[in-house]
Amino acid sequence: MKRRSRKVGIVFYLSVIIVSLFVIWGIVSPTRLGATTSTAFSYITETFGWFYLVVTFIFLVFSLYAAFGPYGRIKLGKKDDDPDYSYVSWLAMLFSAGMGIGLVFWGVAEPIMHYTDPPEGVTPETVEAARTGLRYTFFHWGLHPWAVYAVVGMALAYTQFRKEGAGLISATFRPLIGDGVNGPIGKIIDVLAAIATAAGVATSLGLGAMQINGGLTHLTGLPNSAGTQLAIIVAVTALFMISAVSGLDRGIKMLSNVNLSLASLLLLFVLMAGPTIFLMDTLTTTLGSYIGNIVTMSFRLTPFTGSDWIGTWTLFYWAWWIAWAPFVGTFIARISKGRTIREFVLTVMVMPTLLGALWFAVFGGSGLHLQMEKGVNLANVVNENMEAALFVTLQQFPLGTALSILATALIITFFVTSADSATFVLGTITSKGGTLQPKTYVKIIWGLLISGIAAVLLLSGGLEGLQTASFIAALPFSIVMLLMVVSLNRTLKSEVAKERQREKLRIQKLEELIEENLQNSD
């Protein structure tokens, strides 16, 4: 593969300036920032909500077509390239970078919130509310988000490892705009990718700080406040800086394996110590209901009722996943060299979806069981202090304090892994040539900036402020992704056509050879 330049260029400077101005705005006038982003959130929800639903479903359909259609056997690399990582390490890094903190934060809270405020006109706090709420939780964390990641990851891995292109989002557009990827259009695409990445990751880091604060409050009585959360961001920033400097193989790979081990330990304990049969029945029933209703949920809006439920939940999630797409897509492309498109798509989409479904069935199911059968008022806990829901749930199990400590450690390692991966990706897409080894100072600058965004968003609006940032940043990048699908489909279609032509020629030559041998034998 050609050696890529490690120099930074105009994309780095433009994106850093824009993000820095946003952080300064939040420091100088957090109230004004919160009001402005809230207004933008409402406008985009009302005007472009349908667009988020449509493009996300397109990403899902295209990913499935790529896996099961004529492109499935194409390798993301040269024909003799082998994968760089074992399947378990690959899956661990996919899972840690792609969901991580969010699963822990929403594991109990989201199903309980849907139970008390369900969609589709379902009566709150009923058995049907519990079923519907858990189904929508599966939907929000299932195939759709991973299809979004798969599109970007597939396009980047194919461009880098098959075509020896740069590791830049803009490089995937060469089939559409040719050398225009090296000009202003390409630079704009990469700047949009960097801004979306910074906003999406900052949202997760803010959630992580809130969740760590909730765990420490539960364990030690530490105040649950914006000041404490800022201190947590500072402390964990120092940790992920150390990991970022150590490099991809040593830092992220090791932490990802630790994440998967801690998450598995916590999951298995709660599954075995809790109402196991109930939880497995919940998983099976909800998974079937999710698959059976996936198309209907994919296009559901509420034009006649005026309900804001879809905007608050589904549209926010779709925007969050799109904002995360350049980050997770670039990262999984980097670790997926040597996989076929079929193996890539099915693993990236199906395995994390199943793991996520199991996670929500166990933790969300446990929360609903405690709420509905044991009289533990988790609905009130979520209403007063959302991030405490997980820890109150764990406290109902044997060794509850030990489980809470384990969960807090898991959140911290997820926090470090996500931020570490993000600094690597932001360094990659803002360096000339999309280097796979960005300079250390570039990663440090981005690490400080995404922590700064998380801090000012928490100060300007807490959870709502975190949600609005990724929602706004995702809109322009969703258009970029839609064009990326067109570009990727064009180049894959061309490769398949060329391969079929070569195969046709081989068969033709073989037939001619056979005919010649037959004539000679006569």
Side-chain angles (χ1 to χ4, degrees):
M1 179 176 290
K2 297 177 182 177
R3 190 177 181 84
R4 305 293 172 200
S5 169
R6 297 179 67 200
K7 295 179 180 179
V8 298
I10 188 65
V11 172
F12 173 78
Y13 294 114
L14 274 178
S15 53
V16 165
I17 288 170
I18 293 170
V19 173
S20 298
L21 288 174
F22 183 84
V23 173
I24 293 170
W25 183 14
I27 294 172
V28 173
S29 182
T31 303
R32 182 64 179 168
L33 173 63
T36 303
T37 55
S38 179
T39 301
F41 178 85
S42 299
Y43 175 78
I44 293 173
T45 301
E46 295 171 4
T47 309
F48 296 102
W50 64 269
F51 180 72
Y52 278 128
L53 293 185
V54 170
V55 297
T56 306
F57 190 75
I58 288 173
F59 301 149
L60 175 64
V61 171
F62 176 75
S63 297
L64 292 174
Y65 173 73
F68 293 106
Y71 310 149
R73 296 174 62 184
I74 296 175
K75 183 175 283 191
L76 299 175
K78 301 301 182 183
K79 292 185 177 181
D80 57 348
D81 283 344
D82 293 321
D84 290 338
Y85 302 97
S86 70
Y87 192 85
V88 173
S89 291
W90 182 45
L91 183 60
M93 287 190 280
L94 287 176
F95 192 68
S96 296
M99 293 297 177
I101 293 171
L103 282 176
V104 183
F105 187 91
W106 294 109
V108 174
E110 183 173 341
I112 293 294
M113 292 179 77
H114 294 342
Y115 172 71
T116 59
D117 180 23
E120 300 182 353
V122 176
T123 303
E125 300 186 23
T126 61
V127 172
E128 185 59 27
R131 290 172 180 160
T132 305
L134 202 53
R135 167 161 53 86
Y136 265 91
T137 303
F138 278 34
F139 175 59
H140 292 151
W141 294 83
L143 294 172
H144 285 71
W146 287 101
V148 171
Y149 298 157
V151 165
V152 178
M154 187 178 5
L156 280 167
Y158 179 83
T159 301
Q160 281 181 276
F161 305 128
R162 185 80 170 187
K163 296 298 184 181
E164 296 188 331
L168 299 171
I169 300 294
S170 59
T172 65
F173 284 78
R174 187 170 291 279
L176 279 184
I177 60 176
D179 289 338
V181 299
N182 301 319
I185 295 176
K187 300 296 186 289
I188 291 171
I189 290 171
D190 290 327
V191 169
L192 290 174
I195 293 171
T197 298
V201 174
T203 299
S204 291
L205 299 191
L207 293 177
M210 293 172 67
Q211 188 75 84
I212 293 170
N213 194 174
L216 294 176
T217 298
H218 185 77
L219 292 168
T220 67
L222 189 72
N224 194 331
S225 64
T228 305
Q229 290 159 14
L230 292 180
I232 290 169
I233 288 176
V234 171
V236 180
T237 297
L239 289 176
F240 78 71
M241 287 295 188
I242 295 171
S243 179
V245 171
S246 68
L248 180 67
D249 290 326
R250 292 180 57 195
I252 300 175
K253 179 181 176 182
M254 180 188 70
L255 284 173
S256 296
N257 287 327
V258 170
N259 287 344
L260 196 60
S261 298
L262 290 177
S264 299
L265 181 62
L266 186 64
L267 179 75
L268 289 173
F269 186 91
V270 173
L271 176 62
M272 301 308 296
T276 307
I277 302 301
F278 171 83
L279 297 179
M280 293 309 298
D281 286 349
T282 297
L283 171 64
T284 305
T285 303
T286 309
L287 197 57
S289 177
Y290 161 55
I291 294 171
N293 290 276
I294 190 170
V295 175
T296 302
M297 292 189 292
S298 296
F299 291 100
R300 183 175 181 270
L301 288 170
T302 53
F304 300 110
T305 64
S307 170
D308 62 356
W309 195 96
I310 296 296
T312 302
W313 287 103
T314 304
L315 297 185
F316 157 66
Y317 272 126
W318 281 191
W320 191 14
W321 305 138
I322 291 170
W324 261 57
F327 155 48
V328 180
T330 301
F331 182 74
I332 63 177
R334 167 66 180 84
I335 62 176
S336 300
K337 180 181 178 181
R339 309 284 177 179
T340 65
I341 285 180
R342 182 171 292 118
E343 180 186 17
F344 174 86
V345 171
L346 293 182
T347 299
V348 168
M349 285 179 58
V350 176
M351 293 303 294
T353 293
L354 293 176
L355 289 172
L358 179 60
W359 183 275
F360 280 108
V362 170
F363 288 94
S366 294
L368 289 168
H369 186 263
L370 290 169
Q371 173 77 35
M372 300 170 69
E373 303 293 336
K374 301 297 182 181
V376 179
N377 196 350
L378 285 171
N380 189 54
V381 173
V382 169
N383 184 55
E384 293 182 357
N385 184 10
M386 188 186 307
E387 51 268 29
L390 172 67
F391 302 102
V392 172
T393 299
L394 294 177
Q395 204 62 47
Q396 312 307 313
F397 289 84
L399 305 175
T401 300
L403 292 177
S404 295
I405 294 172
L406 178 63
T408 303
L410 176 62
I411 298 161
I412 292 172
T413 57
F414 269 140
F415 192 128
V416 173
T417 306
S418 296
D420 188 354
S421 306
T423 58
F424 166 79
V425 168
L426 283 164
T428 295
I429 63 180
T430 57
S431 296
K432 285 184 177 179
T435 174
L436 297 180
Q437 297 297 333
K439 288 179 175 290
T440 300
Y441 81 85
V442 173
K443 292 190 288 186
I444 290 174
I445 288 173
W446 278 117
L448 293 174
L449 283 175
I450 57 178
S451 295
I453 297 171
V456 299
L457 289 174
L458 283 172
L459 289 173
S460 66
L463 179 60
E464 184 178 339
L466 294 170
Q467 291 176 323
T468 55
S470 58
F471 194 87
I472 295 167
L475 182 58
F477 194 73
S478 64
I479 299 171
V480 171
M481 282 191 62
L482 197 56
L483 294 172
M484 185 184 292
V485 167
V486 176
S487 181
L488 179 60
N489 184 66
R490 176 177 292 185
T491 189
L492 290 175
K493 186 177 181 180
S494 175
E495 176 160 344
V496 168
K498 290 177 181 178
E499 181 60 34
R500 285 175 176 170
Q501 183 62 29
R502 285 192 292 266
E503 185 65 25
K504 184 178 179 180
L505 290 174
R506 282 195 295 268
I507 293 173
Q508 184 178 341
K509 288 181 179 180
L510 181 61
E511 289 175 345
E512 291 173 353
L513 183 62
I514 293 172
E515 185 177 350
E516 182 179 344
N517 289 335
L518 288 174
Q519 290 176 351
N520 291 335
S521 64
D522 291 340

